[in-house]
Amino acid sequence: MRYAMAIDTKKCVGCSDCVVACQTENNVPIGYCRDWIVEVNDGTYPQLEMEIRSERCNHCDNSPCVRCCPTGASHIVEGGIVLVTANECIGCGACISSCPYDARYPHPDGHVDKCTFCFHRVGKGQQPACVEVCPTNCMYFGDLDDPKSEVSEILKIRKYKTLIPQAGTEPQVYYLI
Amino acid sequence: MREEIITSGRMNDKIDPFLNIWHWEIPLYLFLGGLAAGILFFAAFYSIRGKEKEFPSAIEKAPLIVPALLIIGLISLFLDLNHKLYFWRLYTTIRLESPMSWGAWVLMIITPLSFIWAAIHLKKVYPNFKWPFPWLDIVEEFFIKYKKVLAWSMLVSALILGMYTGILLSAFNARPLWNTSILGPLFLVSGLSTGAATNILFAKTHLEKKTFSTIDLALIGIELFLIVHLFMGLLASTQVQIEAANLFLGGPYTAVFWVLVVLIGMIIPAVIEILELWKFKIPLLIPAIMVLFGGVLLRFIITFAGQTSRWLY
Ligand code: SF4
Ligand code: SF4
């Protein structure tokens, strides 16, 4: 099993619904976020191109954050989801420095926190909160090892990219372009 | 001209707009670790070569401060942790892939070694010193008997500790400035250089002063060579590495790095040491303090600048 997410940058309008849904679902402390909206404006007037996308931890296949963790608090569970066990984390910050996407943040309680792909929901067969609330239905979540899953199907027919592939982390959040 | 404007809705404390997760604690810890490694290395090295008579300060005196250095280092590492109550988790696993884990374990080995080393030399430095309990004399005798083994383990762990202070940072692919294998040797050599400088401060005889000032001179030479290579490597690499190098070549860290670290921390003390060795009478205290000052700043600047260097997307 290999969970992955595909996000359609052509459909995303940057409404931040996913951000709020995540904050509510996962009790993210006020002022912090596990996912966020990025808007890229490329070119000069009048040749402008805009891309809006929702970013989060990429649950990398080759995850530096897991490798550098001295306690094993950062670990990989079934489906390639990268998680942090709060009461094993000493808050040393190594994993925060190691993530090229800056997807992690220090939780005010001391441990490190980040997107879990809503591990507690997908285990029950539900979709991650962000995917479920998106009003434009621009996110797809599922198992890449299953050729019939929604993500596999959409990645077959659409062009896509990942973020900073040159960092070598093998990110598993795909952006449809 | 083609422009790209990126707007992000993320504003996490200590992450945005620039990573700011490590403050004074980590660079201080890196400096003290390097300094301790330097002092212990020279103590072990000259003791193995049987030079107790020639280098009493380096072997007996200077290592007396090392336990304190390491304890302060450990305290600052502890202060850096955000989830302090769980710090013991560091010692319930060994994770070979994690430099942090290596560091924690090396400290666990070298700190007791430094205590033992200091303890068996207390009587040499303070002849009137007596252990409060007689069984401590037996323990002392035991370790004096195995001093060679002690010295060899100290030599090896000192080298690992010194190297580790650089590798901790260079293992982070996500921060282009740190992600260069030069950092390990650079911090090791800088640690040895601060160790030699401390030995100059402690030295009583002319021979000891002269030896460590010559060693320090050579180490400064290697440091300068490594720094040149650091920038050659970064500049010959990809865009993100070039931008990392530019933090020091016109960017915000240019003046502090080249003036305070390279000029005051390396070149001027080297010149003073050369003049002193040649014929002038200059107290070696001056270059030694400058080297220590440069060593502290090198860690601080690299730690802070590295956090602002990043991948672009
Ligand atoms: S995005 Fe960052 S935190 Fe997430 S798995 Fe990759 S390296 Fe780790
Ligand atoms: S902050 Fe926590 S999860 Fe991150 S590397 Fe340190 S112990 Fe591991």
Side-chain angles (χ1 to χ4, degrees):
Chain A
M1 189 140 68
R2 173 66 252 197
Y3 284 124
M5 201 179 265
I7 299 173
D8 195 340
T9 60
K10 296 277 189 244
K11 280 209 243 165
C12 177
V13 291
C15 69
S16 293
D17 243 13
C18 50
V19 180
V20 178
C22 171
Q23 287 165 331
T24 320
E25 173 72 28
N26 295 302
N27 232 335
V28 177
I30 291 173
Y32 292 88
C33 58
R34 288 181 177 186
D35 58 349
W36 59 94
I37 301 294
V38 170
E39 190 183 302
V40 184
N41 287 293
D42 199 358
T44 29
Y45 182 80
Q47 271 90 40
L48 282 172
E49 228 181 87
M50 182 165 80
E51 179 180 296
I52 305 176
R53 56 181 187 240
S54 165
E55 292 188 6
R56 61 194 42 46
C57 165
N58 290 279
H59 296 272
C60 306
D61 252 353
N62 181 17
S63 39
C65 53
V66 173
R67 251 179 290 132
C68 74
C69 176
T71 64
S74 281
H75 62 290
I76 301 177
V77 294
E78 170 153 39
I81 296 181
V82 176
L83 294 181
V84 182
T85 311
N87 60 10
E88 278 178 25
C89 171
I90 57 174
C92 66
C95 57
I96 291 180
S97 289
S98 81
C99 173
Y101 310 94
D102 288 336
R104 296 170 166 244
Y105 68 89
H107 193 285
D109 284 351
H111 58 88
V112 161
D113 194 38
K114 69 171 201 56
C115 161
T116 60
F117 262 179
C118 277
F119 181 66
H120 59 290
R121 293 172 58 93
V122 300
K124 290 188 273 181
Q126 293 171 314
Q127 298 270 297
C130 52
V131 177
E132 191 143 318
V133 299
C134 178
T136 64
N137 274 333
C138 79
M139 291 189 229
Y140 307 86
F141 181 82
D143 179 9
L144 274 189
D145 287 345
D146 170 10
K148 293 254 164 342
S149 71
E150 233 183 339
V151 235
S152 307
E153 295 284 359
I154 196 94
L155 290 177
K156 255 181 255 165
I157 54 171
R158 291 280 300 272
K159 266 201 195 160
Y160 59 83
K161 66 171 180 189
T162 52
L163 299 178
I164 335 183
Q166 64 273 32
T169 57
E170 295 171 37
Q172 296 302 319
V173 173
Y174 296 85
Y175 291 92
L176 307 174
I177 47 176
Chain B
M1 197 188 83
R2 210 182 136 86
E3 274 193 336
E4 202 178 35
I5 301 169
I6 301 181
T7 329
S8 166
R10 190 183 64 196
M11 209 35 188
N12 286 340
D13 185 33
K14 300 213 179 79
I15 306 294
D16 299 299
F18 286 112
L19 181 68
N20 182 22
I21 187 79
W22 286 341
H23 306 111
W24 58 271
E25 296 91 343
I26 291 282
L28 180 67
Y29 158 67
L30 295 179
F31 168 72
L32 292 172
L35 175 57
I39 297 175
L40 292 184
F41 173 83
F42 289 119
F45 178 76
Y46 283 115
S47 157
I48 290 170
R49 295 190 51 199
K51 302 261 183 190
E52 258 92 359
K53 289 249 153 48
E54 290 91 331
F55 299 102
S57 304
I59 296 176
E60 293 155 10
K61 244 199 215 151
L64 292 186
I65 65 165
V66 172
L69 297 177
L70 288 173
I71 294 292
I72 299 172
L74 276 167
I75 291 173
S76 50
L77 178 63
F78 178 72
L79 289 179
D80 164 70
L81 303 181
N82 283 317
H83 220 196
K84 295 191 172 49
L85 284 180
Y86 293 85
F87 81 96
W88 51 272
R89 288 273 180 192
L90 274 174
Y91 295 108
T92 53
T93 54
I94 299 184
R95 304 208 9 112
L96 292 180
E97 281 185 324
S98 158
M100 252 317 166
S101 180
W102 270 86
W105 281 103
V106 169
L107 280 174
M108 203 53 162
I109 295 167
I110 204 163
T111 309
L113 285 180
S114 77
F115 269 96
I116 298 171
W117 191 268
I120 62 175
H121 290 102
L122 265 178
K123 281 188 188 154
K124 291 220 170 124
V125 182
Y126 304 103
N128 292 331
F129 178 80
K130 274 205 181 55
W131 293 109
F133 306 107
W135 58 269
L136 282 171
D137 286 301
I138 304 171
V139 178
E140 185 185 7
E141 246 167 64
F142 171 83
F143 281 117
I144 290 178
K145 209 165 114 207
Y146 290 103
K147 200 168 151 185
K148 267 255 148 64
V149 184
L150 201 61
W152 272 107
S153 5
M154 223 162 74
L155 189 83
V156 174
S157 38
L159 286 177
I160 298 180
L161 177 65
M163 198 75 169
Y164 149 78
T165 58
I167 291 182
L168 175 70
L169 300 181
S170 73
F172 292 125
N173 156 299
R175 314 292 153 195
L177 177 69
W178 292 342
N179 192 212
T180 148
S181 47
I182 300 268
L183 231 50
L186 177 62
F187 277 28
L188 171 64
V189 175
S190 160
L192 291 176
S193 163
T194 53
T198 312
N199 282 338
I200 295 178
L201 293 181
F202 275 98
K204 281 272 169 309
T205 65
H206 185 64
L207 170 77
E208 243 183 316
K209 281 201 175 118
K210 203 176 129 203
T211 312
F212 282 108
S213 133
T214 318
I215 291 176
D216 194 34
L217 204 52
L219 290 171
I220 292 177
I222 302 174
E223 268 183 278
L224 291 171
F225 170 82
L226 288 174
I227 286 175
V228 170
H229 275 251
L230 175 75
F231 284 101
M232 278 172 63
L234 290 174
L235 288 173
S237 197
T238 65
Q239 173 91 41
V240 287
Q241 272 92 7
I242 294 170
E243 281 186 19
N246 284 339
L247 288 171
F248 294 88
L249 304 170
Y253 291 94
T254 314
V256 274
F257 183 75
W258 295 104
V259 175
L260 297 183
V261 177
V262 177
L263 193 66
I264 298 185
M266 295 175 194
I267 295 178
I268 295 182
V271 171
I272 297 180
E273 282 167 353
I274 292 173
L275 291 178
E276 211 276 344
L277 288 172
W278 182 30
K279 63 173 186 194
F280 293 96
K281 274 232 160 323
I282 312 171
L284 281 172
L285 182 84
I286 300 168
I289 287 176
M290 287 170 115
V291 164
L292 287 169
F293 169 78
V296 177
L297 271 181
L298 174 71
R299 268 57 167 206
F300 272 81
I301 290 172
I302 298 280
T303 309
F304 291 152
Q307 295 188 78
T308 65
S309 89
R310 57 182 305 168
W311 286 87
L312 309 164
Y313 68 103

